[in-house]
Amino acid sequence: MSPATPSASSPLSARPCEGQKVPVRRRTRQVRVGDVLVGGGAPVSVQTMTTTNTADVDATLRQIAAVTAAGCDIVRVAVPSQDDADALPAVVAKSRIPVIADIHFQPRYVFAALDAGCAGVRVNPGNIRRFDDRVGEIARAAAAAGVPIRIGVNAGSLDGRMLAKYGGATPEALVESALWECSLFEEHGFRDLKIAVKHHDPLVVVAANRLLSARCDYPLHLGVTEAGPAVQGSIKSAVAFAILLSDGIGDTIRVSISDDPVEQVKAGIQILACLGLRPRSLEIVSCPGCGRLQVDLHTLARRVAAAFEGFPHPLRVAVMGCVVNGPGESREADLGVSCGNGKGQIFVRGQVVRTVPESRIVEALLDEALRLADTKE
């Protein structure tokens, strides 16, 4: 787990939702991606992918540092050219989290990634020329390096043979493609494999991963590919992940939204936290607003979220706009404010400690959060 992720034994509350039960995980093989274990009962890890040109080592490392600070466990970098392959040793050497090389089109870059010390390699058999002919060589090199291979099958680049057989990127087509490639590695005694079968439709992702989980014991990486802009993509990803993870299926995830990789990481962590699969860090409980409001609640909630960004302890903060549900929600949180008539009652662990004007609510909540942290420490 990343150092940025609060531990379950942190002195402030990391409570799950009331009555929440942690899903029973599907038992799989386990692989090691650098210092992160995947599958075999290990915690579900959060991944993202850099959007920089990997050959621009400084830019790539800055982005890796940003996602690491956000709580990312594993990062993937694209290797479409020789310049990118040449940059891998420098990237790997300075990254604080394991680096996976993403290989398309040219199988020779697999060997460059292994030589560079990458913690994993992702291959997309559907768009690598003559990939099947190189599996034996790749398997031997990966085994010698102790590096796992991820078989990544995407609807947008599915093997033409599968498209012809099934008439499209169906769950069955995705699964057969992935298992076929796995069988080629198995023929050479290589089983340090992860599988990802991705589609833009969350229900296809669910169906495909359910099929896979019934037919193999490899760890599965979950992703709704090309999920879309932030809101749409996060919702689609959350739908698929919640269904599968609640069934115990899935060992590592990526929220593939069209947004900054840091936002992908944050969304992934929130999904896992809501399912009880990762300790909560900051949770803002806030009401949607209604005609009873007597403060600018939406602005207030955004200001509170921004003020508590990066707070180093797990904390539930309630930001409530009126007296109907406000006092109750504020009492249940670590900290809370129940607003009315341009003022806010500040709650700390269920008790009202003071009343402040709307302009000082954020300041008051931060003061109490720091005081609470100091007391507990």
Side-chain angles (χ1 to χ4, degrees):
M1 184 174 291
S2 161
T5 304
S7 69
S9 59
S10 178
L12 291 181
S13 169
R15 295 172 292 177
C17 297
E18 305 305 330
Q20 176 176 296
K21 294 182 179 179
V22 177
V24 177
R25 302 281 304 287
R26 161 183 173 263
R27 199 71 181 178
T28 72
R29 293 174 176 271
Q30 188 171 81
V31 299
R32 180 179 290 276
V33 182
D35 59 358
V36 176
L37 296 176
V38 176
V44 178
S45 56
V46 174
Q47 297 190 25
T48 190
M49 187 171 181
T50 57
T51 59
T52 59
N53 291 326
T54 305
D56 187 342
V57 173
D58 289 343
T60 300
L61 286 172
R62 284 196 298 270
Q63 197 166 81
I64 290 175
V67 300
T68 301
C72 187
D73 299 301
I74 300 169
V75 67
R76 188 155 44 106
V77 299
V79 190
S81 72
Q82 187 61 51
D83 287 343
D84 298 311
D86 292 342
L88 286 174
V91 171
V92 170
K94 294 187 177 180
S95 174
R96 289 174 50 209
I97 58 176
V99 175
I100 294 178
D102 193 68
I103 308 299
H104 296 270
F105 306 118
Q106 294 291 344
R108 71 174 184 269
Y109 296 143
V110 172
F111 306 105
L114 295 173
D115 291 341
C118 288
V121 175
R122 185 261 189 170
V123 294
N124 185 341
N127 63 19
I128 296 182
R129 290 191 293 271
R130 301 183 63 82
F131 176 78
D132 291 358
D133 297 340
R134 305 293 298 275
V135 166
E137 189 181 358
I138 290 171
R140 289 189 292 274
V147 171
I149 300 289
R150 183 177 123 193
I151 305 295
V153 177
N154 275 27
S157 54
L158 186 60
D159 190 311
R161 294 169 294 182
M162 299 301 166
L163 290 172
K165 179 177 179 179
Y166 289 97
T170 65
E172 294 78 9
L174 296 170
V175 169
E176 183 171 332
S177 178
L179 292 179
W180 163 255
E181 300 300 337
C182 288
S183 73
L184 298 181
F185 279 93
E186 290 166 353
E187 288 177 1
H188 298 278
F190 188 85
R191 290 180 170 79
D192 282 343
L193 300 169
K194 297 181 293 172
I195 304 178
V197 286
K198 294 187 177 182
H199 196 282
H200 66 269
D201 185 334
L203 296 183
V204 174
V205 172
V206 169
N209 280 278
R210 282 176 167 169
L211 283 174
L212 261 180
S213 68
R215 294 182 58 184
C216 74
D217 65 351
Y218 290 117
L220 304 182
H221 171 78
L222 304 183
V224 178
T225 192
E226 289 88 45
V231 173
Q232 172 187 290
S234 296
I235 291 171
K236 288 169 68 174
S237 298
V239 167
F241 296 173
I243 293 170
L244 290 167
L245 291 169
S246 293
D247 286 346
I249 298 170
D251 303 284
T252 175
I253 66 171
R254 179 193 178 195
V255 179
S256 300
I257 53 177
S258 302
D259 207 332
D260 190 307
V262 168
E263 298 306 312
Q264 298 180 11
V265 172
K266 290 179 181 178
I269 290 173
Q270 285 295 321
I271 292 170
L272 294 182
C274 286
L275 292 168
L277 293 170
R278 196 173 182 112
R280 291 185 183 274
S281 50
L282 175 69
E283 180 189 6
I284 302 293
V285 177
S286 60
C287 59
C290 69
R292 295 187 297 268
L293 292 180
Q294 295 178 317
V295 296
D296 183 356
L297 180 77
H298 296 167
T299 297
L300 178 60
R302 287 193 294 269
R303 289 180 59 215
V304 171
F308 279 86
E309 181 78 20
F311 193 77
H313 301 283
L315 200 65
R316 181 178 292 167
V317 181
V319 182
M320 303 299 295
C322 80
V323 297
V324 175
N325 294 315
E329 291 285 1
S330 296
R331 288 191 194 98
E332 290 298 313
D334 298 299
L335 295 173
V337 58
S338 181
C339 300
N341 196 26
K343 300 178 181 178
Q345 281 189 320
I346 305 298
F347 288 75
V348 178
R349 288 290 171 83
Q351 302 297 319
V352 177
V353 295
R354 52 177 157 152
T355 299
V356 298
E358 181 178 354
S359 62
R360 293 190 56 209
I361 287 174
V362 177
E363 175 189 347
L365 288 172
L366 272 177
D367 286 346
E368 296 300 338
L370 293 171
R371 186 175 294 114
L372 185 57
D374 288 342
T375 300
K376 290 298 182 182
E377 289 175 352

